[in-house]
Amino acid sequence: MSLRVTFLGTGGAVPTTRRNTSSVFLRREGERFLFDCGEGTQRQMMRFGTGFGVSDVFVTHLHGDHTLGLPGLLQTMDFNDREADLTIHVPDGTGGRMRRLLDAAAGHQSFPVRIEDVAAGDTAREGDGYEIAAFETDHDTRSVGYVLVEADRKGRFDRERAEELGVPVGPMFQRLHAGEAVELEDGTVVDPEQVVGDPRPGRTVVYTGDTRPRDRTAEVAAGADLLIHDATFATDNADRARRTAHSTAAEAAELATQADAARLALVHVSSRYAGTVAPLEREAREAFDGEAFVPEDGDELEVPYPDPSPESESDADSGPGST
């Protein structure tokens, strides 16, 4: 099952010619989500081919560089005759302000738009095999981050062992893989534990929005496959990062190390690094042994399962009874 991230806006509050304001698009198989929606996001969606078919928008906080793209996006959806519901998740206590913003700037939509307040610890969305939950962040306004966590998958089915035990190819394979014991013609009972390995972890993607580094973020991001973290400044501007409730690239990298994350994407890059992001990447890579990078707008990243195997996921998902 594919899990793909498209970085639509990687810049800070002031956009540049290369970096738009904050927005991240996430596609999980047929589902599409948007995290933050800064000014110009809908044009980025057209430019990079994501389409507008998102079901949920997860807003980390109500600063303009994370929200001002919503009125235009809603109007475009309306002009395109959208009928499906859209749910906009916002930090607890800010739903009324979001509603007023949309009423003032976007007008009435012909499709249902729900605004739902979420507090840290709440599950904002629960789907088939995953959930998206909010967690506490540290910015200079009400804010949350979001983590997508997939459920564990079934262990791998050992077809060779099953055949050695006399299990015939066919429905019994599926029953064993589903956790059900089977009885063979000679009365022998084969238990799932004999032919099915340990559960395999799903994937975790964390998006912080604007924040100071926090231990809670490291806890939420423990073992994350991808951590997308505020890295507005380099260390020579650490005082400014503290005053404005942002993080430096080194702080983001130290947190990624604490969390033992696999990859770290540094976003919300200040316009002062419009010429080069080398200082951010250099200090992040000095503090983090995993893959640390500053994505460009439009970069697309596939998030693989954490347990590589000789067979592809499509082969594994086809079922133990496949021939």
Side-chain angles (χ1 to χ4, degrees):
M1 178 179 289
S2 66
L3 181 62
R4 185 173 296 115
V5 171
T6 304
F7 296 93
L8 297 177
T10 59
V14 179
T16 69
T17 56
R18 290 180 57 184
R19 296 187 186 277
N20 203 57
T21 51
S22 295
S23 188
V24 171
F25 181 91
L26 187 147
R27 178 187 291 110
R28 183 181 184 271
E29 234 13 52
E31 298 185 89
R32 295 168 175 81
F33 309 120
L34 192 64
F35 293 84
D36 282 333
C37 188
E39 180 182 359
T41 291
Q42 65 169 326
R43 187 173 183 275
Q44 298 291 86
M45 296 171 83
M46 290 185 279
R47 181 182 179 191
F48 301 122
T50 64
F52 299 132
V54 297
S55 62
D56 298 71
V57 181
F58 300 88
V59 176
T60 59
H61 62 288
L62 266 59
H63 284 167
D65 57 319
H66 295 254
T67 60
L68 289 181
L70 278 168
L73 177 60
L74 264 60
Q75 287 186 319
T76 295
M77 288 176 170
D78 201 22
F79 294 151
N80 288 341
D81 299 321
R82 179 183 173 116
E83 296 180 354
D85 295 5
L86 178 70
T87 302
I88 302 173
H89 307 271
V90 298
D92 193 32
T94 65
R97 290 166 54 200
M98 175 60 76
R99 175 58 68 187
R100 290 191 291 275
L101 168 65
L102 298 182
D103 286 348
H108 174 73
Q109 286 77 49
S110 59
F111 59 94
V113 177
R114 295 192 299 269
I115 298 175
E116 295 189 354
D117 287 42
V118 290
D122 288 350
T123 296
R125 180 183 174 92
E126 190 168 8
D128 183 14
Y130 73 92
E131 69 173 25
I132 299 175
F135 63 92
E136 185 179 1
T137 54
D138 180 10
H139 198 38
D140 57 4
T141 187
R142 291 191 181 186
S143 64
V144 293
Y146 295 97
V147 53
L148 181 147
V149 180
E150 291 184 328
D152 285 349
R153 296 165 294 144
K154 297 174 184 176
R156 295 200 179 279
F157 185 84
D158 189 339
R159 176 175 178 147
E160 182 178 346
R161 178 58 179 157
E163 292 179 347
E164 288 176 355
L165 293 170
V167 181
V169 176
M172 285 189 180
F173 277 21
Q174 278 79 15
R175 288 165 57 190
L176 283 163
H177 203 204
E180 180 184 347
V182 299
E183 185 175 348
L184 306 183
E185 288 185 0
D186 63 2
T188 301
V189 175
V190 178
D191 293 316
E193 294 78 10
Q194 295 177 262
V195 295
V196 180
D198 293 334
R200 297 170 292 158
R203 294 160 291 190
T204 300
V205 176
V206 179
Y207 175 68
T208 67
D210 296 0
T211 184
R212 292 290 298 148
R214 289 183 59 91
D215 287 342
R216 180 57 183 152
T217 303
E219 293 170 4
V220 168
D225 301 279
L226 176 63
L227 170 60
I228 306 170
H229 199 287
D230 177 349
T232 307
F233 300 107
T235 300
D236 58 356
N237 279 286
D239 287 344
R240 182 169 177 80
R242 283 189 290 271
R243 289 197 307 271
T244 58
H246 288 291
S247 297
T248 67
E251 288 172 329
E254 289 162 4
L255 189 143
T257 297
Q258 181 182 347
D260 194 26
R263 286 192 281 186
L264 170 65
L266 306 165
V267 296
H268 202 267
V269 175
S270 169
S271 58
R272 69 188 61 212
Y273 306 105
T276 177
V277 296
L280 303 178
E281 290 189 325
R282 180 171 56 251
E283 67 180 46
R285 289 167 181 168
E286 289 174 354
F288 178 56
D289 289 335
E291 180 185 354
F293 61 99
V294 177
E296 298 288 334
D297 284 12
D299 281 357
E300 191 173 79
L301 182 66
E302 183 75 27
V303 182
Y305 284 103
D307 57 336
S309 66
E311 64 184 28
S312 70
E313 283 301 324
S314 60
D315 289 341
D317 291 341
S318 63
S322 302
T323 58

